[in-house]
Coordinates of all heavy atoms in Angstrom, one line a residue:
M272 N -25.9 -43.5 -89.7 CA -25.2 -44.7 -89.4 C -25.9 -45.9 -90.0 O -27.1 -46.1 -89.8 CB -25.0 -44.9 -87.9 CG -24.5 -46.3 -87.5 SD -24.2 -46.5 -85.7 CE -22.5 -46.1 -85.7
E273 N -25.1 -46.7 -90.7 CA -25.7 -47.9 -91.3 C -25.5 -49.1 -90.3 O -24.5 -49.2 -89.7 CB -24.9 -48.3 -92.6 CG -25.4 -49.5 -93.3 CD -24.7 -49.9 -94.5 OE1 -24.1 -49.0 -95.1 OE2 -24.6 -51.1 -94.8
I274 N -26.6 -49.9 -90.1 CA -26.5 -51.0 -89.2 C -27.0 -52.2 -90.0 O -28.1 -52.3 -90.4 CB -27.4 -50.8 -88.0 CG1 -27.0 -49.5 -87.2 CG2 -27.3 -52.0 -87.1 CD1 -28.0 -49.2 -86.1
T275 N -26.1 -53.2 -90.2 CA -26.5 -54.4 -90.8 C -27.0 -55.4 -89.7 O -26.5 -55.4 -88.6 CB -25.2 -55.1 -91.5 OG1 -24.7 -54.1 -92.4 CG2 -25.6 -56.3 -92.2
Q276 N -28.1 -56.1 -90.1 CA -28.7 -57.0 -89.1 C -28.6 -58.4 -89.7 O -29.0 -58.6 -90.9 CB -30.1 -56.6 -88.8 CG -30.8 -57.6 -87.9 CD -32.2 -57.1 -87.5 OE1 -32.4 -55.9 -87.3 NE2 -33.1 -58.0 -87.4
R277 N -28.2 -59.4 -88.9 CA -28.2 -60.8 -89.3 C -28.9 -61.6 -88.3 O -28.5 -61.6 -87.1 CB -26.8 -61.3 -89.5 CG -26.7 -62.8 -89.9 CD -25.3 -63.2 -90.3 NE -24.3 -63.0 -89.2 CZ -23.9 -64.0 -88.4 NH1 -24.5 -65.2 -88.5 NH2 -23.0 -63.8 -87.5
N278 N -30.0 -62.3 -88.7 CA -30.7 -63.2 -87.8 C -30.1 -64.5 -87.9 O -30.0 -65.1 -89.0 CB -32.2 -63.2 -88.2 CG -32.9 -61.8 -88.0 OD1 -32.3 -60.9 -87.3 ND2 -34.0 -61.7 -88.6
A279 N -29.8 -65.1 -86.7 CA -29.2 -66.4 -86.7 C -30.0 -67.3 -85.7 O -30.9 -66.8 -85.0 CB -27.7 -66.4 -86.2
E280 N -29.7 -68.5 -85.6 CA -30.4 -69.4 -84.7 C -30.1 -69.0 -83.3 O -28.9 -69.1 -82.8 CB -29.9 -70.9 -84.9 CG -30.6 -71.9 -84.1 CD -32.1 -72.0 -84.4 OE1 -32.5 -71.8 -85.6 OE2 -32.9 -72.2 -83.5
G281 N -31.0 -68.5 -82.6 CA -30.9 -68.1 -81.2 C -30.4 -66.7 -80.9 O -30.4 -66.3 -79.7
Y282 N -30.1 -65.9 -81.9 CA -29.6 -64.6 -81.6 C -29.7 -63.7 -82.9 O -29.9 -64.2 -84.0 CB -28.2 -64.5 -81.1 CG -27.1 -64.9 -82.1 CD1 -26.5 -64.0 -82.9 CD2 -26.8 -66.3 -82.2 CE1 -25.6 -64.4 -83.8 CE2 -25.8 -66.7 -83.2 CZ -25.2 -65.7 -84.0 OH -24.3 -66.1 -84.9
V283 N -29.6 -62.4 -82.6 CA -29.5 -61.4 -83.7 C -28.2 -60.7 -83.6 O -27.9 -60.2 -82.5 CB -30.7 -60.4 -83.7 CG1 -30.6 -59.4 -84.8 CG2 -32.1 -61.2 -83.8
A284 N -27.5 -60.5 -84.7 CA -26.3 -59.8 -84.7 C -26.5 -58.5 -85.4 O -27.0 -58.4 -86.5 CB -25.2 -60.6 -85.4
L285 N -26.1 -57.4 -84.8 CA -26.2 -56.0 -85.3 C -24.7 -55.6 -85.6 O -23.9 -55.7 -84.7 CB -26.8 -55.1 -84.4 CG -28.3 -55.3 -84.0 CD1 -28.8 -54.3 -83.0 CD2 -29.2 -55.3 -85.3
A286 N -24.5 -55.0 -86.8 CA -23.1 -54.5 -87.1 C -23.2 -53.0 -87.5 O -23.4 -52.7 -88.7 CB -22.5 -55.4 -88.2
P287 N -23.1 -52.1 -86.5 CA -23.0 -50.7 -86.9 C -21.7 -50.4 -87.6 O -20.7 -51.0 -87.4 CB -23.2 -50.0 -85.6 CG -22.7 -51.0 -84.5 CD -23.0 -52.3 -85.1
Q288 N -21.8 -49.3 -88.4 CA -20.6 -48.9 -89.2 C -20.3 -47.4 -88.9 O -21.2 -46.6 -88.9 CB -20.8 -49.1 -90.7 CG -21.1 -50.5 -91.1 CD -20.0 -51.4 -91.0 OE1 -18.8 -51.1 -91.3 NE2 -20.2 -52.6 -90.4
G289 N -19.1 -47.1 -88.7 CA -18.7 -45.7 -88.5 C -18.5 -45.3 -87.0 O -18.1 -46.1 -86.2
R290 N -18.9 -44.1 -86.8 CA -18.7 -43.5 -85.4 C -19.9 -43.8 -84.6 O -21.0 -43.6 -84.9 CB -18.5 -42.0 -85.5 CG -17.2 -41.6 -86.2 CD -17.1 -40.1 -86.3 NE -17.1 -39.4 -85.1 CZ -16.0 -39.2 -84.3 NH1 -14.8 -39.6 -84.7 NH2 -16.1 -38.5 -83.2
F291 N -19.6 -44.4 -83.4 CA -20.7 -44.7 -82.4 C -20.7 -43.7 -81.3 O -20.1 -43.8 -80.3 CB -20.4 -46.1 -81.9 CG -21.6 -46.8 -81.2 CD1 -21.4 -48.1 -80.7 CD2 -22.7 -46.2 -80.9 CE1 -22.4 -48.8 -80.1 CE2 -23.8 -46.8 -80.3 CZ -23.6 -48.1 -79.9
D292 N -21.3 -42.5 -81.7 CA -21.2 -41.3 -80.8 C -22.6 -40.8 -80.5 O -23.6 -41.5 -80.7 CB -20.3 -40.3 -81.5 CG -20.8 -39.9 -82.9 OD1 -22.0 -40.2 -83.2 OD2 -20.0 -39.3 -83.6
M293 N -22.6 -39.6 -80.0 CA -23.9 -39.0 -79.5 C -24.9 -38.8 -80.6 O -26.1 -38.8 -80.4 CB -23.7 -37.7 -78.7 CG -23.2 -36.6 -79.6 SD -22.8 -35.2 -78.5 CE -24.0 -34.0 -79.2
V294 N -24.4 -38.8 -81.8 CA -25.3 -38.6 -83.0 C -26.0 -40.0 -83.3 O -27.2 -40.1 -83.6 CB -24.6 -38.1 -84.2 CG1 -25.5 -38.1 -85.5 CG2 -24.1 -36.6 -83.9
N295 N -25.2 -41.0 -83.3 CA -25.6 -42.4 -83.7 C -26.0 -43.3 -82.6 O -26.7 -44.3 -82.9 CB -24.5 -43.0 -84.6 CG -24.2 -42.2 -85.8 OD1 -25.1 -41.8 -86.5 ND2 -22.9 -42.0 -86.1
A296 N -25.6 -43.1 -81.4 CA -26.0 -44.0 -80.3 C -27.5 -44.2 -80.2 O -27.9 -45.3 -80.0 CB -25.4 -43.5 -79.0
P297 N -28.3 -43.1 -80.3 CA -29.7 -43.4 -80.2 C -30.3 -44.3 -81.2 O -31.3 -45.1 -81.0 CB -30.4 -42.0 -80.3 CG -29.3 -41.1 -79.9 CD -28.0 -41.7 -80.4
V298 N -29.7 -44.4 -82.4 CA -30.1 -45.2 -83.5 C -29.9 -46.7 -83.1 O -30.8 -47.6 -83.3 CB -29.4 -44.9 -84.8 CG1 -29.8 -45.9 -85.9 CG2 -29.7 -43.5 -85.2
V299 N -28.7 -47.0 -82.5 CA -28.4 -48.3 -82.1 C -29.3 -48.8 -80.9 O -29.8 -49.9 -80.9 CB -26.9 -48.5 -81.7 CG1 -26.6 -49.9 -81.2 CG2 -26.0 -48.1 -82.9
K300 N -29.4 -47.9 -80.0 CA -30.3 -48.2 -78.8 C -31.7 -48.5 -79.3 O -32.4 -49.4 -78.8 CB -30.2 -47.0 -77.8 CG -31.2 -47.1 -76.6 CD -30.8 -48.2 -75.7 CE -31.5 -48.2 -74.3 NZ -32.9 -48.5 -74.3
A301 N -32.2 -47.7 -80.2 CA -33.6 -47.9 -80.7 C -33.7 -49.2 -81.4 O -34.8 -49.9 -81.2 CB -34.0 -46.7 -81.6
R302 N -32.7 -49.6 -82.1 CA -32.7 -50.9 -82.8 C -32.7 -52.0 -81.8 O -33.5 -53.0 -82.0 CB -31.5 -51.0 -83.8 CG -31.5 -52.3 -84.5 CD -32.5 -52.4 -85.6 NE -32.2 -51.6 -86.8 CZ -31.5 -52.0 -87.8 NH1 -31.0 -53.2 -87.9 NH2 -31.3 -51.1 -88.8
I303 N -31.9 -51.9 -80.8 CA -31.9 -53.0 -79.7 C -33.3 -53.1 -79.1 O -33.8 -54.1 -78.9 CB -30.8 -52.7 -78.7 CG1 -29.4 -52.9 -79.4 CG2 -30.9 -53.7 -77.5 CD1 -28.2 -52.5 -78.5
D304 N -33.8 -51.9 -78.7 CA -35.1 -51.9 -78.0 C -36.2 -52.5 -78.9 O -37.1 -53.2 -78.4 CB -35.5 -50.4 -77.7 CG -34.7 -49.8 -76.6 OD1 -34.0 -50.6 -75.9 OD2 -34.8 -48.6 -76.4
A305 N -36.2 -52.2 -80.2 CA -37.2 -52.8 -81.1 C -37.0 -54.3 -81.2 O -38.0 -55.0 -81.3 CB -37.0 -52.1 -82.5
L306 N -35.8 -54.8 -81.3 CA -35.6 -56.2 -81.3 C -36.2 -56.9 -80.1 O -36.8 -57.9 -80.2 CB -34.1 -56.5 -81.5 CG -33.5 -56.3 -82.8 CD1 -32.0 -56.4 -82.8 CD2 -34.1 -57.2 -83.9
V307 N -35.9 -56.3 -78.9 CA -36.3 -56.9 -77.7 C -37.9 -56.9 -77.6 O -38.5 -57.9 -77.3 CB -35.7 -56.2 -76.4 CG1 -36.4 -56.6 -75.2 CG2 -34.2 -56.4 -76.4
R308 N -38.5 -55.7 -78.0 CA -40.0 -55.7 -78.1 C -40.5 -56.7 -79.0 O -41.6 -57.3 -78.8 CB -40.4 -54.3 -78.5 CG -40.5 -53.3 -77.5 CD -41.2 -52.0 -77.9 NE -40.8 -51.5 -79.2 CZ -39.8 -50.6 -79.4 NH1 -39.1 -50.2 -78.3 NH2 -39.5 -50.2 -80.6
G309 N -39.8 -57.1 -80.1 CA -40.2 -58.1 -81.0 C -39.9 -59.5 -80.6 O -40.2 -60.4 -81.3
G310 N -39.3 -59.7 -79.4 CA -39.1 -61.0 -78.9 C -37.6 -61.5 -79.1 O -37.3 -62.6 -78.7
D311 N -36.8 -60.7 -79.8 CA -35.4 -61.1 -79.9 C -34.6 -60.5 -78.8 O -34.2 -59.4 -78.8 CB -34.8 -60.6 -81.3 CG -35.5 -61.3 -82.4 OD1 -35.5 -62.6 -82.5 OD2 -35.9 -60.6 -83.4
T312 N -34.3 -61.4 -77.8 CA -33.6 -60.8 -76.6 C -32.2 -61.2 -76.5 O -31.5 -60.7 -75.5 CB -34.4 -61.3 -75.3 OG1 -34.3 -62.8 -75.3 CG2 -35.8 -60.9 -75.3
R313 N -31.6 -62.0 -77.4 CA -30.2 -62.3 -77.4 C -29.6 -61.6 -78.6 O -29.9 -61.9 -79.7 CB -30.0 -63.8 -77.5 CG -30.5 -64.5 -76.3 CD -30.3 -66.0 -76.5 NE -30.6 -66.7 -75.3 CZ -30.7 -68.0 -75.2 NH1 -30.4 -68.8 -76.3 NH2 -31.0 -68.6 -74.1
I314 N -28.8 -60.5 -78.3 CA -28.3 -59.6 -79.3 C -26.8 -59.5 -79.2 O -26.3 -59.3 -78.1 CB -29.0 -58.2 -79.2 CG1 -30.5 -58.4 -79.3 CG2 -28.4 -57.3 -80.2 CD1 -31.3 -57.2 -78.8
I315 N -26.1 -59.6 -80.3 CA -24.7 -59.4 -80.4 C -24.5 -58.2 -81.2 O -25.0 -58.1 -82.3 CB -24.0 -60.6 -81.0 CG1 -24.2 -61.9 -80.2 CG2 -22.5 -60.3 -81.2 CD1 -23.7 -63.2 -80.8
V316 N -23.7 -57.2 -80.7 CA -23.3 -56.0 -81.4 C -21.9 -56.2 -81.9 O -21.0 -56.3 -81.1 CB -23.5 -54.8 -80.5 CG1 -23.1 -53.5 -81.3 CG2 -24.9 -54.6 -80.0
D317 N -21.8 -56.4 -83.2 CA -20.5 -56.6 -83.8 C -19.9 -55.2 -84.1 O -20.3 -54.5 -85.0 CB -20.7 -57.4 -85.1 CG -19.4 -57.7 -85.8 OD1 -18.3 -57.2 -85.4 OD2 -19.4 -58.4 -86.8
L318 N -18.8 -54.9 -83.4 CA -18.2 -53.5 -83.5 C -17.0 -53.4 -84.4 O -16.3 -52.5 -84.4 CB -17.8 -53.1 -82.0 CG -18.9 -53.0 -81.0 CD1 -18.3 -52.8 -79.6 CD2 -19.9 -51.9 -81.4
Q319 N -16.9 -54.4 -85.3 CA -15.7 -54.4 -86.2 C -15.7 -53.2 -87.1 O -14.6 -52.7 -87.4 CB -15.8 -55.7 -87.0 CG -14.6 -55.9 -87.9 CD -14.5 -57.2 -88.6 OE1 -15.5 -57.9 -88.7 NE2 -13.3 -57.6 -89.0
G320 N -16.9 -52.7 -87.5 CA -16.9 -51.5 -88.4 C -17.0 -50.2 -87.6 O -17.2 -49.2 -88.3
V321 N -16.9 -50.2 -86.3 CA -16.9 -49.0 -85.5 C -15.5 -48.4 -85.4 O -14.6 -49.1 -84.8 CB -17.6 -49.2 -84.1 CG1 -17.5 -48.0 -83.2 CG2 -19.0 -49.7 -84.3
S322 N -15.3 -47.2 -85.9 CA -14.0 -46.6 -85.8 C -13.8 -45.8 -84.6 O -12.7 -45.5 -84.2 CB -13.9 -45.6 -87.1 OG -14.9 -44.7 -87.1
F323 N -14.9 -45.4 -83.9 CA -14.8 -44.6 -82.7 C -16.0 -44.7 -81.9 O -17.1 -44.8 -82.4 CB -14.7 -43.1 -83.1 CG -14.7 -42.1 -81.9 CD1 -13.6 -41.9 -81.2 CD2 -15.9 -41.5 -81.6 CE1 -13.7 -41.0 -80.1 CE2 -16.0 -40.6 -80.5 CZ -14.8 -40.4 -79.8
M324 N -15.9 -44.8 -80.5 CA -17.0 -44.9 -79.6 C -16.8 -44.0 -78.5 O -15.7 -44.0 -77.9 CB -17.3 -46.3 -79.1 CG -18.5 -46.4 -78.2 SD -18.9 -48.1 -77.8 CE -17.6 -48.5 -76.6
D325 N -17.8 -43.1 -78.2 CA -17.7 -42.3 -77.0 C -18.6 -42.7 -75.9 O -19.2 -43.8 -76.0 CB -17.9 -40.8 -77.4 CG -19.3 -40.5 -77.8 OD1 -20.2 -41.4 -77.7 OD2 -19.6 -39.4 -78.3
S326 N -18.8 -41.9 -74.9 CA -19.7 -42.3 -73.7 C -21.1 -42.5 -74.1 O -21.8 -43.3 -73.5 CB -19.5 -41.3 -72.6 OG -20.0 -40.0 -73.0
S327 N -21.5 -41.8 -75.2 CA -22.9 -42.0 -75.7 C -23.1 -43.4 -76.3 O -24.1 -44.0 -76.0 CB -23.3 -40.9 -76.7 OG -23.2 -39.7 -76.2
G328 N -22.1 -43.8 -77.0 CA -22.2 -45.2 -77.6 C -22.2 -46.2 -76.5 O -22.9 -47.2 -76.5
L329 N -21.3 -46.0 -75.5 CA -21.3 -46.9 -74.3 C -22.6 -46.9 -73.6 O -23.1 -48.0 -73.2 CB -20.1 -46.4 -73.4 CG -19.6 -47.4 -72.4 CD1 -19.2 -48.7 -73.0 CD2 -18.5 -46.8 -71.6
G330 N -23.2 -45.7 -73.4 CA -24.5 -45.6 -72.8 C -25.6 -46.4 -73.5 O -26.4 -47.0 -72.9
A331 N -25.5 -46.3 -74.9 CA -26.5 -47.1 -75.7 C -26.3 -48.6 -75.5 O -27.3 -49.3 -75.4 CB -26.3 -46.7 -77.1
L332 N -25.1 -49.1 -75.4 CA -24.9 -50.5 -75.2 C -25.4 -50.9 -73.8 O -26.0 -51.9 -73.6 CB -23.4 -50.8 -75.3 CG -22.9 -50.7 -76.7 CD1 -21.3 -51.0 -76.7 CD2 -23.6 -51.7 -77.7
V333 N -25.0 -50.1 -72.8 CA -25.5 -50.4 -71.4 C -27.0 -50.4 -71.3 O -27.6 -51.2 -70.7 CB -24.8 -49.5 -70.4 CG1 -25.4 -49.7 -69.0 CG2 -23.3 -49.8 -70.3
G334 N -27.6 -49.4 -71.9 CA -29.1 -49.3 -71.9 C -29.7 -50.4 -72.6 O -30.7 -51.0 -72.2
G335 N -29.1 -50.8 -73.8 CA -29.6 -52.0 -74.5 C -29.5 -53.3 -73.7 O -30.4 -54.1 -73.7
L336 N -28.4 -53.4 -73.0 CA -28.1 -54.5 -72.1 C -29.2 -54.6 -71.0 O -29.8 -55.7 -70.8 CB -26.7 -54.4 -71.5 CG -26.4 -55.5 -70.5 CD1 -26.2 -56.8 -71.1 CD2 -25.0 -55.1 -69.8
K337 N -29.5 -53.5 -70.4 CA -30.5 -53.5 -69.4 C -31.9 -53.9 -69.9 O -32.6 -54.7 -69.3 CB -30.6 -52.0 -68.8 CG -31.6 -51.9 -67.7 CD -31.7 -50.5 -67.1 CE -32.8 -50.4 -66.1 NZ -32.9 -49.0 -65.6
T338 N -32.2 -53.3 -71.1 CA -33.5 -53.7 -71.7 C -33.6 -55.2 -72.0 O -34.6 -55.8 -71.7 CB -33.7 -52.9 -73.0 OG1 -33.7 -51.5 -72.7 CG2 -35.0 -53.2 -73.7
A339 N -32.5 -55.7 -72.6 CA -32.5 -57.1 -72.9 C -32.6 -58.0 -71.7 O -33.3 -59.0 -71.6 CB -31.3 -57.5 -73.7
R340 N -31.8 -57.7 -70.7 CA -31.8 -58.5 -69.4 C -33.2 -58.4 -68.7 O -33.6 -59.4 -68.1 CB -30.7 -58.0 -68.5 CG -29.3 -58.5 -69.0 CD -28.2 -58.3 -68.0 NE -27.0 -58.9 -68.5 CZ -25.8 -58.6 -68.0 NH1 -25.7 -57.9 -66.9 NH2 -24.7 -59.2 -68.4
Q341 N -33.8 -57.3 -68.8 CA -35.2 -57.2 -68.2 C -36.1 -58.2 -68.9 O -37.1 -58.6 -68.3 CB -35.7 -55.8 -68.2 CG -35.0 -54.9 -67.2 CD -35.4 -53.5 -67.3 OE1 -35.9 -53.0 -68.3 NE2 -35.2 -52.7 -66.2
A342 N -35.9 -58.5 -70.1 CA -36.7 -59.4 -70.9 C -36.2 -60.8 -70.9 O -36.6 -61.7 -71.6 CB -36.8 -58.9 -72.3
G343 N -35.2 -61.1 -70.0 CA -34.6 -62.4 -69.9 C -33.5 -62.7 -70.9 O -33.2 -63.9 -71.1
G344 N -33.0 -61.7 -71.6 CA -31.9 -61.9 -72.6 C -30.6 -61.3 -72.2 O -30.3 -61.1 -71.0
D345 N -29.8 -61.0 -73.2 CA -28.5 -60.4 -73.0 C -28.0 -59.7 -74.2 O -28.5 -59.9 -75.3 CB -27.5 -61.5 -72.7 CG -26.3 -61.1 -72.0 OD1 -26.2 -59.9 -71.6 OD2 -25.4 -61.9 -71.8
V346 N -27.1 -58.7 -74.1 CA -26.4 -58.1 -75.2 C -24.9 -58.4 -75.0 O -24.4 -58.2 -73.9 CB -26.6 -56.6 -75.2 CG1 -25.7 -55.9 -76.2 CG2 -28.1 -56.3 -75.5
R347 N -24.3 -58.8 -76.1 CA -22.9 -59.1 -76.0 C -22.2 -58.3 -77.2 O -22.9 -58.0 -78.1 CB -22.6 -60.6 -76.2 CG -23.2 -61.4 -75.1 CD -22.9 -62.9 -75.3 NE -23.4 -63.7 -74.2 CZ -23.3 -65.0 -74.1 NH1 -22.8 -65.7 -75.1 NH2 -23.8 -65.6 -73.1
I348 N -20.9 -58.0 -77.0 CA -20.2 -57.3 -78.0 C -19.1 -58.2 -78.6 O -18.5 -59.0 -77.9 CB -19.7 -56.0 -77.5 CG1 -18.7 -56.2 -76.3 CG2 -20.8 -55.0 -77.2 CD1 -18.0 -54.9 -75.9
A349 N -18.9 -58.0 -79.9 CA -17.8 -58.7 -80.6 C -17.0 -57.8 -81.4 O -17.4 -56.7 -81.8 CB -18.5 -59.8 -81.5
H350 N -15.7 -58.2 -81.7 CA -14.8 -57.5 -82.6 C -14.5 -56.0 -82.2 O -14.4 -55.2 -83.1 CB -15.3 -57.4 -84.0 CG -15.2 -58.7 -84.8 ND1 -16.3 -59.2 -85.4 CD2 -14.2 -59.6 -85.0 CE1 -16.0 -60.4 -86.0 NE2 -14.7 -60.6 -85.7
P351 N -14.4 -55.7 -80.9 CA -14.1 -54.3 -80.6 C -12.7 -53.9 -81.0 O -11.7 -54.7 -80.8 CB -14.3 -54.2 -79.1 CG -13.9 -55.6 -78.6 CD -14.4 -56.5 -79.7
G352 N -12.5 -52.8 -81.6 CA -11.2 -52.3 -81.9 C -10.5 -51.8 -80.7 O -11.1 -51.7 -79.6
E353 N -9.3 -51.4 -80.8 CA -8.5 -50.9 -79.7 C -9.1 -49.7 -79.0 O -9.0 -49.6 -77.7 CB -7.0 -50.7 -80.1 CG -6.1 -50.5 -78.9 CD -6.2 -51.6 -77.8 OE1 -6.2 -52.8 -78.2 OE2 -6.2 -51.3 -76.6
Q354 N -9.6 -48.8 -79.7 CA -10.2 -47.6 -79.1 C -11.4 -47.9 -78.3 O -11.6 -47.5 -77.2 CB -10.6 -46.5 -80.2 CG -11.0 -45.2 -79.6 CD -12.5 -45.1 -79.3 OE1 -13.3 -45.7 -79.9 NE2 -12.8 -44.2 -78.4
V355 N -12.2 -48.9 -78.8 CA -13.4 -49.3 -78.0 C -13.0 -50.1 -76.8 O -13.5 -49.9 -75.7 CB -14.3 -50.2 -78.9 CG1 -15.5 -50.8 -78.1 CG2 -14.9 -49.3 -80.1
R356 N -12.0 -50.9 -76.9 CA -11.5 -51.7 -75.8 C -10.9 -50.7 -74.7 O -11.1 -50.9 -73.5 CB -10.3 -52.6 -76.2 CG -10.8 -53.9 -76.9 CD -9.6 -54.8 -77.2 NE -10.0 -55.9 -78.0 CZ -10.5 -57.0 -77.6 NH1 -10.6 -57.2 -76.3 NH2 -10.8 -58.0 -78.4
A357 N -10.3 -49.6 -75.1 CA -9.7 -48.7 -74.2 C -10.9 -48.0 -73.4 O -10.8 -47.8 -72.2 CB -8.9 -47.6 -74.9
V358 N -11.9 -47.6 -74.1 CA -13.1 -47.0 -73.4 C -13.7 -48.0 -72.4 O -14.0 -47.6 -71.3 CB -14.1 -46.6 -74.5 CG1 -15.4 -46.1 -73.8 CG2 -13.6 -45.4 -75.3
L359 N -13.8 -49.2 -72.8 CA -14.4 -50.2 -71.9 C -13.5 -50.4 -70.7 O -14.0 -50.5 -69.5 CB -14.6 -51.6 -72.6 CG -15.7 -51.6 -73.7 CD1 -15.5 -52.9 -74.5 CD2 -17.0 -51.6 -73.0
R360 N -12.2 -50.5 -70.9 CA -11.3 -50.7 -69.8 C -11.3 -49.5 -68.8 O -11.3 -49.6 -67.6 CB -9.8 -50.9 -70.3 CG -9.5 -52.3 -70.6 CD -8.0 -52.5 -70.9 NE -7.4 -51.6 -71.8 CZ -7.3 -51.8 -73.1 NH1 -7.8 -52.9 -73.6 NH2 -6.8 -50.9 -73.9
L361 N -11.2 -48.2 -69.4 CA -11.2 -47.0 -68.6 C -12.4 -46.9 -67.7 O -12.4 -46.4 -66.6 CB -11.1 -45.8 -69.5 CG -9.7 -45.6 -70.1 CD1 -9.7 -44.5 -71.1 CD2 -8.7 -45.2 -69.0
T362 N -13.6 -47.3 -68.2 CA -14.8 -47.2 -67.5 C -15.1 -48.4 -66.7 O -16.1 -48.5 -66.0 CB -16.0 -46.9 -68.5 OG1 -16.1 -48.0 -69.4 CG2 -15.8 -45.6 -69.2
K363 N -14.3 -49.5 -66.8 CA -14.4 -50.7 -66.1 C -15.7 -51.5 -66.5 O -16.1 -52.4 -65.9 CB -14.4 -50.6 -64.6 CG -13.1 -50.0 -64.1 CD -12.8 -50.3 -62.7 CE -11.6 -49.6 -62.1 NZ -10.4 -49.7 -62.8
L364 N -16.2 -51.1 -67.7 CA -17.4 -51.7 -68.2 C -17.1 -53.0 -69.0 O -18.0 -53.7 -69.4 CB -18.3 -50.8 -69.0 CG -19.0 -49.8 -68.2 CD1 -19.7 -48.7 -69.1 CD2 -20.1 -50.4 -67.3
D365 N -15.8 -53.3 -69.1 CA -15.4 -54.5 -69.8 C -15.8 -55.7 -68.9 O -15.8 -56.9 -69.3 CB -13.9 -54.6 -70.1 CG -13.0 -54.3 -68.9 OD1 -13.5 -53.8 -67.9 OD2 -11.8 -54.5 -69.1
R366 N -16.1 -55.5 -67.6 CA -16.6 -56.5 -66.7 C -18.0 -56.9 -67.0 O -18.5 -58.0 -66.7 CB -16.4 -56.1 -65.3 CG -15.0 -55.8 -64.9 CD -14.8 -55.3 -63.5 NE -13.5 -54.9 -63.3 CZ -13.1 -54.2 -62.2 NH1 -14.0 -53.8 -61.3 NH2 -11.8 -53.9 -62.0
I367 N -18.8 -55.9 -67.4 CA -20.2 -56.1 -67.7 C -20.4 -56.4 -69.2 O -21.2 -57.3 -69.5 CB -21.0 -54.8 -67.3 CG1 -20.9 -54.6 -65.8 CG2 -22.5 -54.9 -67.7 CD1 -21.4 -53.2 -65.4
L368 N -19.7 -55.7 -70.1 CA -19.8 -56.0 -71.5 C -18.5 -56.6 -71.9 O -17.7 -56.0 -72.6 CB -20.0 -54.7 -72.2 CG -21.4 -54.1 -72.2 CD1 -21.4 -52.6 -72.7 CD2 -22.4 -54.9 -73.0
A369 N -18.3 -57.8 -71.5 CA -17.1 -58.5 -71.9 C -16.9 -58.7 -73.4 O -17.8 -59.2 -74.0 CB -17.0 -59.9 -71.2
P370 N -15.8 -58.2 -74.0 CA -15.7 -58.3 -75.4 C -15.3 -59.7 -75.9 O -14.5 -60.3 -75.2 CB -14.6 -57.3 -75.7 CG -13.8 -57.1 -74.4 CD -14.8 -57.4 -73.3
F371 N -15.9 -60.1 -77.0 CA -15.6 -61.4 -77.6 C -14.8 -61.1 -78.9 O -15.0 -60.1 -79.5 CB -16.9 -62.1 -77.9 CG -17.6 -62.7 -76.7 CD1 -18.5 -61.9 -76.0 CD2 -17.3 -64.0 -76.2 CE1 -19.1 -62.4 -74.9 CE2 -18.0 -64.5 -75.1 CZ -18.9 -63.7 -74.4
E372 N -14.0 -62.0 -79.3 CA -13.2 -61.8 -80.5 C -14.0 -61.9 -81.8 O -13.6 -61.3 -82.8 CB -12.0 -62.8 -80.5 CG -11.0 -62.6 -79.4 CD -10.4 -61.2 -79.5 OE1 -10.0 -60.7 -80.6 OE2 -10.3 -60.6 -78.4
S373 N -15.1 -62.7 -81.7 CA -15.9 -62.8 -82.9 C -17.4 -63.0 -82.6 O -17.7 -63.3 -81.4 CB -15.4 -64.1 -83.7 OG -15.8 -65.3 -83.0
V374 N -18.2 -62.8 -83.5 CA -19.7 -63.0 -83.3 C -19.9 -64.5 -82.9 O -20.7 -64.8 -82.0 CB -20.5 -62.7 -84.6 CG1 -21.9 -63.1 -84.5 CG2 -20.4 -61.2 -84.8
E375 N -19.2 -65.4 -83.6 CA -19.3 -66.8 -83.3 C -19.0 -67.1 -81.8 O -19.7 -67.9 -81.1 CB -18.5 -67.7 -84.2 CG -18.9 -67.7 -85.7 CD -18.7 -66.3 -86.4 OE1 -17.7 -65.6 -86.0 OE2 -19.4 -66.0 -87.3
D376 N -17.9 -66.5 -81.3 CA -17.5 -66.7 -79.9 C -18.6 -66.1 -79.0 O -18.9 -66.8 -78.0 CB -16.2 -66.0 -79.6 CG -15.0 -66.7 -80.2 OD1 -15.1 -67.9 -80.6 OD2 -13.9 -66.1 -80.3
A377 N -19.1 -65.0 -79.3 CA -20.1 -64.3 -78.5 C -21.4 -65.1 -78.5 O -22.2 -65.1 -77.5 CB -20.4 -62.9 -79.0
S378 N -21.7 -65.9 -79.5 CA -22.9 -66.6 -79.6 C -23.0 -67.9 -78.8 O -24.0 -68.5 -78.7 CB -23.3 -67.0 -81.1 OG -22.4 -67.9 -81.6
R379 N -21.8 -68.3 -78.3 CA -21.8 -69.6 -77.5 C -22.2 -69.4 -76.1 O -21.9 -68.4 -75.5 CB -20.3 -70.1 -77.6 CG -19.9 -70.5 -79.0 CD -18.6 -71.2 -78.9 NE -18.1 -71.5 -80.3 CZ -17.1 -70.9 -80.9 NH1 -16.4 -69.9 -80.2 NH2 -16.8 -71.1 -82.1
G380 N -22.8 -70.4 -75.5 CA -23.1 -70.4 -74.1 C -24.2 -69.5 -73.6 O -24.2 -69.0 -72.5
W381 N -25.2 -69.2 -74.5 CA -26.3 -68.4 -74.0 C -26.9 -69.2 -72.8 O -27.7 -69.2 -72.2 CB -27.3 -68.2 -75.1 CG -26.8 -67.2 -76.1 CD1 -26.3 -67.6 -77.4 CD2 -26.7 -65.8 -76.1 NE1 -26.0 -66.5 -78.1 CE2 -26.2 -65.4 -77.4 CE3 -27.0 -64.8 -75.2 CZ2 -26.0 -64.1 -77.7 CZ3 -26.8 -63.5 -75.5 CH2 -26.3 -63.1 -76.7

């Protein structure tokens, strides 16, 4: 899985590409953990390039959220496709990982 990283004022945006599943979820979680260890605790995961997400991908996001919050930060998601939104709704995790329409929207109000 390719993950593009963009450092911005006050946050880091990660943009994974492809399937966010049991094969690739540990890669995203490891990247979030490394950012938090390095002091970047405000992270936006841009899901625009994600074609599919399963429970492993969701678990990576929730695990990353927990890691970031323990360090005083947060993880937000942006650009989720309809399949990702459906997974969030079905699991009721859209209440915890509220989806934003864009990275810019997600970056407001830290």
